[in-house]
Amino acid sequence: MFKSNFVIEEMDIKLKTDFIGTNFIYYEEVESTNTELLKDLSITEHGTVLMANNQVKGRGRLNRTWISDKDNSITFSILLTENLTAKKLNIITLAAGLAVAQSIENLYQLDVRLKWPNDVLIETRKVCGILVESVSRGDIPERVVVGIGVNVNQPMFEGHYNIPPTSIRKEFGSVVSRERILAEILNEFEEVMKKVDKNPESVLESWRQRSKLIGEKIKIVDGDKEYFGVFEDIDDNGFLILSGRDGIKTIYNGDVSLR
Ligand code: BTN
């Protein structure tokens, strides 16, 4: 039998951050950690992490749902309230994917790739989803919430998924510590956030190196619109540059797949 309850102290012991997760809020159950952090305006501290053991109405990108398995996954959101700009917002989205990928690689030596904008994949299988949401005043984001759901110890997945899911356990071959992976992600996220401020180009470059699809022929579905072309690169803001029959186009949102 493996222990299933999340032990905050075990996570804390591995946490090396100055501001990410120093204010740590743990709920046994919430509808969505993102919704909770967006609506509870009494929480203002930059770097606050809100985690739920059981997230019962998880939200994904493009109005999808995020299904998580109590005790076998981690679902949490990070609140950012300082030094925010609209431009930074998109780079933060990419940075979050990088932090998760780096953490899984550090602890379990798995080859982790990113699919624009921020799906975290092991080969073709999705191990983590990220949803960044914000509240802005004019152009300036006041409250940015970075929501992260990682499949950690699920032995298998049932149901129908947009991208086939996997868990760290399935890829690594044994049950792993949720506390350890959460601490690692928070440590890595703080490191990459320092780069977002000091050297955003290095964040974009790290993202390019982990990208699965740059240089490939892709299809993008954004609502009822479809685009086809070659995924040329990401621009300074982290948006996707597509070269198609009608020339170069910048893509701000959507689902990318190989053509
Ligand atoms: C996606 O792949 O579409 C994004 C999924 C994001 C899921 C996380 S789990 C924690 C946070 N709270 C939510 O309701 N969603 C995000």
Side-chain angles (χ1 to χ4, degrees):
M1 264 299 271
F2 75 93
K3 180 171 52 51
S4 61
N5 285 337
F6 191 87
V7 183
I8 297 173
E9 293 73 18
E10 265 179 39
M11 189 277 300
D12 210 33
I13 250 170
K14 298 289 183 190
L15 199 62
K16 295 189 288 217
T17 55
D18 293 329
F19 63 97
I20 298 290
T22 46
N23 184 27
F24 187 81
I25 303 170
Y26 178 89
Y27 282 114
E28 193 44 46
E29 184 173 301
V30 296
E31 290 200 343
S32 152
T33 57
N34 266 33
T35 308
E36 202 63 38
L37 264 190
L38 282 170
K39 75 169 194 222
D40 188 345
L41 300 180
S42 70
I43 307 171
T44 54
E45 196 175 317
H46 184 58
T48 294
V49 171
L50 190 151
M51 171 181 185
N53 194 47
N54 194 18
Q55 177 174 262
V56 293
K57 258 197 192 165
R59 295 187 289 107
R61 284 180 64 237
L62 311 171
N63 287 326
R64 300 204 175 100
T65 51
W66 178 258
I67 300 168
S68 47
D69 175 2
K70 173 172 154 26
D71 295 331
N72 278 332
S73 56
I74 48 175
T75 47
F76 64 99
S77 302
I78 306 167
L79 177 71
L80 304 173
T81 54
E82 290 177 11
N83 298 322
L84 298 166
T85 61
K87 176 169 176 156
K88 239 198 225 174
L89 200 56
N90 304 299
I91 303 183
I92 291 172
T93 301
L94 303 185
L98 271 173
V100 175
Q102 192 62 52
S103 304
I104 297 176
E105 196 171 287
N106 291 348
L107 297 181
Y108 311 111
Q109 293 76 47
L110 293 163
D111 184 21
V112 191
R113 304 266 135 202
L114 297 169
K115 185 161 96 57
W116 189 87
N118 52 8
D119 285 338
V120 183
L121 305 182
I122 298 175
E123 290 178 23
T124 53
R125 302 173 291 276
K126 180 159 163 175
V127 69
C128 162
I130 296 170
L131 176 66
V132 179
E133 296 180 294
S134 59
V135 178
S136 298
R137 182 182 297 241
D139 254 6
I140 308 293
E142 283 191 327
R143 220 174 153 78
V144 172
V145 171
V146 180
I148 303 181
V150 186
N151 299 327
V152 183
N153 283 324
Q154 287 98 321
M156 58 175 178
F157 295 85
E158 277 165 4
H160 200 77
Y161 291 84
N162 188 38
I163 306 175
T166 191
S167 64
I168 297 175
R169 172 187 181 174
K170 283 187 76 171
E171 302 294 333
F172 183 61
S174 61
V175 167
V176 304
S177 158
R178 291 192 300 156
E179 292 81 356
R180 185 73 190 86
I181 185 69
L182 177 60
E184 192 74 8
I185 293 170
L186 300 182
N187 292 339
E188 286 292 337
F189 187 68
E190 183 164 301
E191 284 309 305
V192 75
M193 279 305 294
K194 288 181 190 157
K195 292 190 191 139
V196 169
D197 284 323
K198 289 205 193 99
N199 187 1
E201 184 48 46
S202 74
V203 177
L204 297 171
E205 197 42 47
S206 305
W207 195 92
R208 287 184 185 104
Q209 281 166 18
R210 276 198 191 271
S211 162
K212 257 192 106 57
L213 297 175
I214 290 184
E216 301 281 351
K217 282 188 181 166
I218 57 165
K219 168 177 155 184
I220 297 157
V221 180
D222 182 10
D224 50 11
K225 295 188 288 283
E226 281 188 348
Y227 307 101
F228 296 89
V230 173
F231 186 164
E232 287 294 340
D233 200 356
I234 46 171
D235 70 10
D236 281 359
N237 296 301
F239 296 128
L240 189 157
I241 306 172
L242 186 75
S243 79
R245 265 195 306 200
D246 310 330
I248 297 282
K249 188 171 177 52
T250 304
I251 305 288
Y252 303 98
N253 209 351
D255 261 336
V256 178
S257 57
L258 262 182
R259 201 161 78 186

